[in-house]
Amino acid sequence: WELWPIDMFKDEFAKAFEERIFPSSYFLTYAHSTWMRYQLSKRYIREKVQSLQTHKEEWRRSLRYLLRGKEMVDNMGADYFVILLPYLYELNDEHPFLPLQNYVEQFCVENKIAFQDLFDSFIGHNHVDLWAHPTDQHPNAKGHRIIAEALKESIQQRQFLD
């Protein structure tokens, strides 16, 4: 689930990228659009993290879907497992999305939902090297390899496939 899709800033990103405030200078236009994209990305991060406080009900509603999924899978007699994949950005101790990860993790613990936070598997990697494309921060082959290795170990430890 995605609580705040990037589309929330789509028009502003497009404007910052396309607008030519300095029509006679490509360099100044480039510098300005780069600065604006940087500012918008920082705002996106800030608002995403603040959404824990500003949009509590939306978060609760989204997390209830995890409970519904667990109930459905439990009724089928299968194992239910939540994977927390970090945003592929600043993969270090200063990761700006840790409050979001911690919130979901706390919910899982309180509701006895098995989970694995993959953040530790990504620490120290250059996030850009893991992106599918410079404009697509989904994991590429290297990112998927990290995910697979972490999950393989976890699945074996939890004996899901026995």
Side-chain angles (χ1 to χ4, degrees), residues 65-70 73-74 78-82 113-114 160:
Y65 287 114
L66 293 178
L67 282 176
R68 286 179 52 198
K70 182 180 184 329
V73 171
D74 284 348
D79 295 311
Y80 187 73
F81 186 63
V82 171
I113 297 173
F160 280 148

Side-chain angles (χ1 to χ4, degrees), residues 74-134:
D74 284 348
N75 290 336
M76 292 186 286
D79 295 311
Y80 187 73
F81 186 63
V82 171
I83 301 164
L84 299 178
L85 179 66
Y87 280 86
L88 297 180
Y89 178 73
E90 292 187 15
L91 299 168
N92 56 47
D93 293 336
E94 302 298 317
H95 185 62
F97 296 106
L98 281 177
L100 303 177
Q101 300 253 148
N102 293 339
Y103 186 77
V104 175
E105 180 177 328
Q106 179 183 351
F107 179 86
C108 288
V109 168
E110 289 172 358
N111 290 280
K112 297 177 178 53
I113 297 173
F115 72 93
Q116 181 172 356
D117 185 348
L118 298 181
F119 179 72
D120 288 345
S121 300
F122 284 93
I123 287 181
H125 289 275
N126 180 346
H127 58 271
V128 175
D129 293 341
L130 303 173
W131 292 351
H133 185 271

